[in-house]
Amino acid sequence: MQAFTPPDLKGVWASTLLPVTDSDDIDFARLETALDVLVGSGVTGVYTNGSAGEFHTLTEDEYDRLHELVAARCGAAGVPFQLGASHPSGQICLGRIRRAAALRPAAIQVILPDWLPLSRHEAVAAAERMARAADGVPLVLYNPPAAKTQLDTDDLARLAEAVPALIGIKVPGGDAAWFERMRGGAAGRLAIFVAGHTLASGLMLGASGSYSNVACLNPAGAARWYAQMFDDPEAAIDVQRRLQGFFDAHIAPLARRGYCDPALDKTLAAIGDWAPTGTRVRWPYRSVPEAAVPALRRAAEAAVPELLA
């Protein structure tokens, strides 16, 4: 498909979540069912291998099978797709980038090599080599709070200037002052993606979109909410307030009990009940019990019924 430029990179993107069997294998039949829902949900596009997609657990054969499936389904439906090539090993990441590039996605998502923190020079060198491996497909850099190398606004500007193939970033975002700093210089051309449950306020500050945990909860609801952000921003902010209240009361306690982000994202999908993904995550991580879901669903329906409709 046509490679994206920074202005193209926007909207609400939904993650492929891995349905996992009791033997820890990926259930590709259930994954195909979920993909059918995603491509018909109205989200801006579909992406793979963010944290929610458990990229760190995939074998290379699973990686290739997943991407061939997503490229085929999204291509047939005319839905934009981005492929995640992230891996804690930079060497394995380069191989993933090359194979993802052959499928010609709109962009390839990457992280910086992640066992040891990188110096500023090393971060630029890593991004430059990733861009060469991508063979003309643009890059989106994930720099979440869990990343070993944390980039500030100056670092992001330096990367944007050195690596024109870098068109976007996924970051926690910040306050108005942070967005103002990002608008200055080379960093101003990067599309900024923030957490899904902060998108309504993030758009007002200068964000472009989200790789969305709200789409984990309900992709069609996330797409409707994104449209509301333009049609009725005040109402969209009210949804965000109630959504964050639900997260604070019901999802944050699960995080404090030690459940990892993919486990929380799969729990959101189980609450939304839009595909047979289940809450199981791959070894060695702990899964939220399915028995917890009905009460969580009732709480979500009370807080944000318009997202779950």
Side-chain angles (χ1 to χ4, degrees), residues 153 172-183 201-202 205-206:
T153 54
D175 58 13
W178 183 89
F179 276 94
E180 184 62 32
R181 291 194 298 274
M182 282 297 297
R183 280 191 284 271
S201 59
L205 294 172

Side-chain angles (χ1 to χ4, degrees), residues 196-198 213-214 217 225 238-248 303-304 307:
H197 61 283
T198 68
N213 57 350
V214 183
L217 179 65
W225 185 38
D238 180 63
V239 172
Q240 178 174 299
R241 177 188 58 78
R242 289 183 278 119
L243 178 65
Q244 290 182 339
F246 167 74
F247 273 53
D248 290 344
V304 284
L307 293 181

